[in-house]
Amino acid sequence: MAPRTRASKTGQALSGRPLRADAQRNRARILAAAEATLADKGPSASTEEIAHRAEVAVGTIFRHFPTKEALVEAVFVAGLRQLAEQARRLCTAPEPGAAFITFLTEAITRSTAKHAFARQMGGDNTAVMSRGPVAEAAQDLRRAMTALLDRAQRAKEIRGDIDITAVVALLVGASRAAEHTDGDERLRETVLAVVVDGLRPRDADRWAREDPSPQDQ
Amino acid sequence: MAPRTRASKTGQALSGRPLRADAQRNRARILAAAEATLADKGPSASTEEIAHRAEVAVGTIFRHFPTKEALVEAVFVAGLRQLAEQARRLCTAPEPGAAFITFLTEAITRSTAKHAFARQMGGDNTAVMSRGPVAEAAQDLRRAMTALLDRAQRAKEIRGDIDITAVVALLVGASRAAEHTDGDERLRETVLAVVVDGLRPRDADRWAREDPSPQDQ
Amino acid sequence: MAPRTRASKTGQALSGRPLRADAQRNRARILAAAEATLADKGPSASTEEIAHRAEVAVGTIFRHFPTKEALVEAVFVAGLRQLAEQARRLCTAPEPGAAFITFLTEAITRSTAKHAFARQMGGDNTAVMSRGPVAEAAQDLRRAMTALLDRAQRAKEIRGDIDITAVVALLVGASRAAEHTDGDERLRETVLAVVVDGLRPRDADRWAREDPSPQDQ
Amino acid sequence: MAPRTRASKTGQALSGRPLRADAQRNRARILAAAEATLADKGPSASTEEIAHRAEVAVGTIFRHFPTKEALVEAVFVAGLRQLAEQARRLCTAPEPGAAFITFLTEAITRSTAKHAFARQMGGDNTAVMSRGPVAEAAQDLRRAMTALLDRAQRAKEIRGDIDITAVVALLVGASRAAEHTDGDERLRETVLAVVVDGLRPRDADRWAREDPSPQDQ
DNA sequence: GATGAATGAGTTTTCATTCAT
DNA sequence: AATGAATGAAAACTCATTCAT
């Protein structure tokens, strides 16, 4: 079995040489198509269908990604990277609480793909999460989110008793909930509001923050 | 057209005649095995594996459920029914708020199977949700939950601005979040606490409640 | 492996003891149902469907006939016996030619079952034809038909250059043709007329028979 | 709905683009193997066996024909087309009667496949006959045969009282009869002779033809 | 590099046959 | 004897992956 010269398990080119321009474009098309297809057909979407949507042949997909799993991973990693990017951007925003909420909102709103991934990974997602580039991207995102969360908690805008792990779980869940609203904008907002409110500090803290004078009369 | 005396599309016996005792037992074993298997292998778990787990031959599964989809549906419906049952039971509990919270907690804790279903149904779950016994069971559950919610809202234990649809979405999401905690008890509690707090009425209302003087004038 | 006490390979009871009255009735129902079902669903008709049509359970069929093939054979043999019966009856009819034609007509008209059998036996029907009760019944029918044919040929009503083998082939083919007419009475008659005319002696013979004086003016 | 780029329900390429050379060759091999296999194992011949005979993998068959039924249909249609071709060729032959007879002979001689089809289609072949490409091919063949028949009837070589429908039924039946002769050349000829004679005009007509002076006054 | 046909292991589904009730 | 549930081998069909063009 000759050493594979095409693509590594993670969909990165093995050679240092950059991809030809058209190959680059194809890679992007494939990722986009995969994201879209997985989002609306679920993890059982066939490679053939993804190829169809990307307007390339199946073979092309397998040139870029050695296995279907690698493709799905790549989609997931791309999503995680975007989120990490966003988190870092918001880390320098003036209002820590608002920044955190904004992050959640955006993450929830366009998180379909991650979800598809989670679904794809089915029962043994832990396996995937702990290895390779997914783990790295997840680590990175976690770090960025931790920073955001810390700032918000220090500003007393978010309850102090939750940690990053809980936030991640909530994010995943909220995304799922949002997905379940199936397009109803108002409904999504309500769901988000509940989660956000739940993350706010208890009353005592808020009095302290929002208005120095007690409003209990 | 149907010489098929086996099982209807929905896995209900076609004739009014009840199943033989052994058949009844097998049906239950199959449902249990399916729930477990789907829960930990995801929707792509093979029928063969389910059969193995149920210690029956594949053919037996197909005698009870004409299609893999029908089996998955049946698992889902069973879950919905259990929940509805639980909701109805709690409807007569003394403390409306506590009852509602209890319901959420339990629902979230053992909702893996529903989830597997949602995953299985993939992109076009709406199609399945609107047909047949799934739709009926869902309707029924919704009714029971609505009653629970109403009581809790009338008692001012739950914010008045959320409706049953939002609760369902939240339930789905919270289940997903809980699933993501992957066994960490404390984490699950935290997540639940956030959602529950988010559902509580805003401060003004709560003072009113905690303070014996009626706030409704 | 205990000696089978149920039914021999050919569907005859093994013990000398006659069947119980109800068993007898069931056997007949099954044969009738099998004939009908095979006729209109083809050889792929399932045992279950035959059972359904006979209003018995599958198990009952297998009590009477050890295999599906045995059942189909039995249907076939029954058909052959009826035909042989008929042939023998017509052997004593006053007009040899008319008798032969009548036989053909009747055989063709209700030969669906044989056909189903032929279809069932698919490519290797020769195997079945040469063994056991089928072969016997076929032999017997052939004998009876030979007698009919001989009489008709001696009476110069049927061309002398065809033998029983050809007649059998023609009978099979004509049955198939009749089947193809799918209910069109007139069409069936036309087809039959062609075959019958084709079996008539050539002109010279006929002159001799129909009118002693030559009719060529 | 169809990401399927493989084969349409009828086994025709979906896109206008012609098949690659190797695909074309495989398609032909598959059809040939199917014809042969169906002919000698009957309609219950498994796809796997056909694949084996064609020396391709099962998947290849399903790439070309989405369904086993589609494959069988394709075999049938191919047979019908060949016959139509032949009929058209003979339509310009000098001797109308001989041309018609020649057609029958050839059709009967190599009609095994059609037969297999008829068998496959079992009881509800009418359904298949009335839809799509089968119906078209059948129509076309019928047209070509009608022309042949007309010419022969006008030349008084074939009785005037039979129509194309009867000819088709006879053809089907004669094919079946020929199949029943199972290789006996002489027997097949005898059978054919009977049918052909049966199709000849009655004596009076033939005199008319052979003798220029009309006999109808 | 891209294409799309071929592969073949895996999955769902059917059905003759057996067996407990 | 009859019933109908259970069995499991075999069939149809799918799809990730490979490979010739």
Side-chain angles (χ1 to χ4, degrees):
Chain A
M1 196 136 289
R4 173 183 295 281
T5 56
R6 322 251 241 190
S8 74
K9 267 282 163 193
T10 61
Q12 306 297 118
L14 275 183
S15 60
R17 170 167 18 125
L19 290 171
R20 256 164 49 173
D22 55 344
Q24 194 91 54
R25 207 197 44 237
N26 273 343
R27 190 175 202 279
R29 285 160 80 98
I30 290 168
L31 279 172
E35 175 159 4
T37 309
L38 292 172
D40 64 55
K41 292 293 168 56
S44 61
S46 74
T47 314
E48 202 98 33
E49 180 166 2
I50 294 171
H52 184 73
R53 210 126 131 182
E55 291 174 287
V56 300
V58 250
T60 304
I61 291 189
F62 282 92
R63 169 170 291 273
H64 285 276
F65 306 93
T67 62
K68 188 191 182 185
E69 193 186 335
L71 169 58
V72 179
E73 260 187 57
V75 169
F76 190 38
V77 167
L80 293 177
R81 288 204 182 129
Q82 270 181 46
L83 277 185
E85 201 66 34
Q86 173 78 345
R88 263 190 290 273
R89 216 173 2 248
L90 286 166
C91 236
T92 61
E95 311 218 15
F100 185 77
I101 302 301
T102 302
F103 175 75
L104 280 192
T105 309
E106 302 219 341
I108 287 163
T109 304
R110 48 169 174 61
S111 63
T112 340
K114 273 124 262 151
H115 224 223
F117 174 79
R119 275 187 261 152
Q120 153 84 0
M121 289 310 135
D124 65 330
N125 49 356
T126 36
V128 178
M129 292 298 297
S130 54
R131 70 173 151 83
V134 175
E136 275 169 47
Q139 247 336 301
D140 187 48
L141 171 58
R142 184 178 295 256
R143 262 194 300 275
M145 282 176 64
T146 303
L148 260 185
L149 173 62
D150 272 1
R151 278 213 318 155
Q153 283 177 325
R154 256 198 290 278
K156 306 277 187 214
E157 303 259 14
I158 294 294
R159 320 162 36 151
D161 64 337
I162 69 161
D163 62 356
I164 184 64
T165 318
V167 172
V168 168
L170 282 164
L171 185 53
V172 168
S175 297
R176 179 73 188 81
E179 204 181 354
H180 191 83
T181 60
D182 202 33
D184 183 337
E185 192 62 42
R186 179 176 306 271
L187 184 50
R188 178 146 63 209
E189 274 164 27
T190 307
V191 166
L192 188 61
V194 168
V195 175
V196 166
D197 274 1
L199 287 168
R200 285 262 144 75
R202 295 304 75 219
D203 306 335
D205 298 335
R206 303 185 72 188
W207 301 335
R209 175 175 51 76
E210 276 163 30
D211 186 353
S213 67
Q215 85 273 34
D216 58 357
Q217 24 250 181
Chain B
M1 149 155 294
R4 174 182 294 277
T5 56
R6 320 256 230 184
S8 72
K9 267 280 161 194
T10 62
Q12 307 296 120
L14 275 183
S15 61
R17 178 174 1 144
L19 287 172
R20 250 161 52 176
D22 54 345
Q24 194 93 51
R25 187 167 31 82
N26 272 339
R27 191 176 202 277
R29 285 162 79 96
I30 290 168
L31 278 173
E35 176 159 3
T37 309
L38 291 173
D40 65 54
K41 291 294 168 57
S44 61
S46 77
T47 311
E48 205 97 31
E49 178 165 2
I50 294 171
H52 183 72
R53 205 125 137 187
E55 292 175 289
V56 298
V58 248
T60 305
I61 292 190
F62 283 93
R63 163 174 282 273
H64 285 274
F65 306 93
T67 295
K68 189 190 179 187
E69 192 185 333
L71 170 58
V72 180
E73 258 187 59
V75 170
F76 188 40
V77 167
L80 293 177
R81 290 210 178 122
Q82 269 181 47
L83 278 185
E85 203 65 36
Q86 173 78 346
R88 262 189 291 272
R89 220 177 353 254
L90 286 166
C91 235
T92 61
E95 312 218 15
F100 185 77
I101 302 303
T102 302
F103 176 76
L104 281 190
T105 308
E106 304 218 341
I108 287 164
T109 303
R110 50 171 172 61
S111 64
T112 338
K114 273 123 261 152
H115 232 214
F117 175 79
R119 274 187 262 151
Q120 152 85 1
M121 288 309 135
D124 65 330
N125 48 356
T126 36
V128 178
M129 293 296 298
S130 53
R131 263 204 268 131
V134 176
E136 274 170 48
Q139 248 333 303
D140 188 47
L141 171 57
R142 185 178 294 258
R143 261 193 299 274
M145 284 176 64
T146 302
L148 261 184
L149 173 62
D150 272 1
R151 278 213 320 156
Q153 283 178 324
R154 257 197 289 274
K156 306 282 185 207
E157 304 257 15
I158 295 293
R159 0 189 326 183
D161 64 337
I162 67 161
D163 61 357
I164 183 64
T165 317
V167 171
V168 168
L170 281 163
L171 184 53
V172 168
S175 297
R176 180 72 188 81
E179 204 181 353
H180 192 84
T181 62
D182 203 34
D184 182 338
E185 193 64 41
R186 179 176 306 273
L187 184 51
R188 177 146 64 212
E189 273 164 28
T190 307
V191 166
L192 188 60
V194 168
V195 174
V196 166
D197 275 359
L199 286 169
R200 285 263 145 75
R202 295 306 73 217
D203 308 335
D205 298 337
R206 303 184 72 188
W207 302 334
R209 179 172 52 73
E210 279 157 31
D211 172 352
S213 68
Q215 85 291 1
D216 57 359
Q217 26 237 189
Chain C
M1 198 136 289
R4 175 183 292 283
T5 57
R6 321 252 244 193
S8 72
K9 267 283 163 193
T10 61
Q12 307 296 119
L14 275 183
S15 60
R17 169 169 17 123
L19 290 171
R20 257 165 47 176
D22 55 342
Q24 193 92 54
R25 207 196 44 238
N26 274 342
R27 189 173 203 281
R29 286 161 79 99
I30 291 168
L31 278 173
E35 174 160 5
T37 309
L38 291 172
D40 65 53
K41 291 293 168 57
S44 61
S46 74
T47 313
E48 201 97 35
E49 180 166 1
I50 293 172
H52 184 73
R53 208 124 133 185
E55 292 174 287
V56 300
V58 248
T60 305
I61 291 188
F62 283 90
R63 168 170 291 275
H64 286 275
F65 305 93
T67 62
K68 189 190 181 186
E69 193 186 334
L71 169 59
V72 180
E73 260 186 56
V75 170
F76 189 40
V77 167
L80 293 177
R81 289 206 182 126
Q82 268 181 48
L83 278 185
E85 201 67 34
Q86 174 78 350
R88 262 188 292 272
R89 216 172 4 249
L90 286 166
C91 237
T92 60
E95 312 217 14
F100 184 77
I101 301 303
T102 302
F103 175 75
L104 280 192
T105 309
E106 302 219 340
I108 287 164
T109 303
R110 49 168 172 61
S111 64
T112 338
K114 272 123 265 151
H115 226 219
F117 174 79
R119 275 187 260 154
Q120 153 85 0
M121 290 309 135
D124 65 330
N125 49 357
T126 36
V128 178
M129 291 297 298
S130 55
R131 70 173 151 83
V134 176
E136 275 168 46
Q139 248 335 303
D140 187 45
L141 171 58
R142 184 178 295 259
R143 261 192 300 274
M145 281 175 65
T146 303
L148 261 186
L149 174 62
D150 273 1
R151 278 215 317 158
Q153 284 178 325
R154 258 197 291 276
K156 307 278 187 210
E157 304 257 14
I158 294 293
R159 341 174 2 167
D161 62 338
I162 68 164
D163 62 357
I164 184 66
T165 318
V167 171
V168 168
L170 282 164
L171 184 53
V172 168
S175 298
R176 179 72 188 80
E179 203 180 355
H180 191 84
T181 61
D182 202 34
D184 183 336
E185 192 62 42
R186 178 176 307 271
L187 184 51
R188 178 146 63 211
E189 273 162 28
T190 306
V191 166
L192 188 61
V194 168
V195 175
V196 166
D197 274 0
L199 287 169
R200 285 262 145 76
R202 294 304 75 217
D203 307 334
D205 298 336
R206 304 184 71 188
W207 301 336
R209 175 177 50 77
E210 277 163 31
D211 187 351
S213 66
Q215 84 270 40
D216 57 359
Q217 255 96 13
Chain D
M1 149 154 292
R4 176 181 291 276
T5 56
R6 320 256 232 184
S8 72
K9 268 280 162 195
T10 61
Q12 306 297 119
L14 274 182
S15 59
R17 179 170 5 141
L19 288 172
R20 251 163 49 178
D22 54 344
Q24 194 94 52
R25 188 166 32 80
N26 272 338
R27 191 176 202 276
R29 285 162 79 96
I30 290 167
L31 279 173
E35 176 160 2
T37 310
L38 291 172
D40 65 53
K41 292 294 169 58
S44 61
S46 78
T47 311
E48 205 97 30
E49 178 165 3
I50 294 171
H52 183 72
R53 205 124 135 185
E55 290 175 290
V56 299
V58 247
T60 304
I61 292 190
F62 284 94
R63 163 173 281 272
H64 286 275
F65 307 93
T67 295
K68 190 191 177 186
E69 192 186 333
L71 170 58
V72 180
E73 258 187 59
V75 170
F76 189 40
V77 168
L80 293 177
R81 289 210 180 121
Q82 270 181 47
L83 278 186
E85 203 66 34
Q86 172 78 347
R88 263 189 291 271
R89 219 177 355 253
L90 286 167
C91 235
T92 61
E95 311 217 15
F100 185 78
I101 301 302
T102 302
F103 175 76
L104 280 191
T105 309
E106 303 219 340
I108 287 164
T109 303
R110 49 169 172 60
S111 65
T112 339
K114 271 124 264 152
H115 232 209
F117 174 80
R119 274 187 261 151
Q120 152 85 359
M121 290 308 134
D124 65 331
N125 49 357
T126 37
V128 177
M129 292 297 299
S130 54
R131 335 179 223 114
V134 176
E136 275 169 48
Q139 243 341 296
D140 188 46
L141 172 58
R142 184 179 293 258
R143 261 192 300 274
M145 283 175 64
T146 303
L148 262 183
L149 173 62
D150 272 1
R151 277 213 320 156
Q153 284 179 323
R154 257 197 290 274
K156 307 278 186 209
E157 303 258 13
I158 295 293
R159 328 165 26 157
D161 64 338
I162 69 162
D163 62 358
I164 183 66
T165 317
V167 171
V168 168
L170 281 164
L171 184 53
V172 167
S175 298
R176 180 72 188 81
E179 205 180 354
H180 191 84
T181 62
D182 203 34
D184 182 338
E185 192 64 41
R186 179 176 307 272
L187 184 51
R188 178 145 63 211
E189 271 163 31
T190 307
V191 166
L192 188 61
V194 168
V195 175
V196 166
D197 275 0
L199 286 168
R200 285 263 145 76
R202 296 303 74 218
D203 308 333
D205 297 336
R206 303 184 71 187
W207 301 336
R209 178 172 52 74
E210 280 159 29
D211 174 352
S213 71
Q215 87 292 359
D216 57 359
Q217 24 235 207

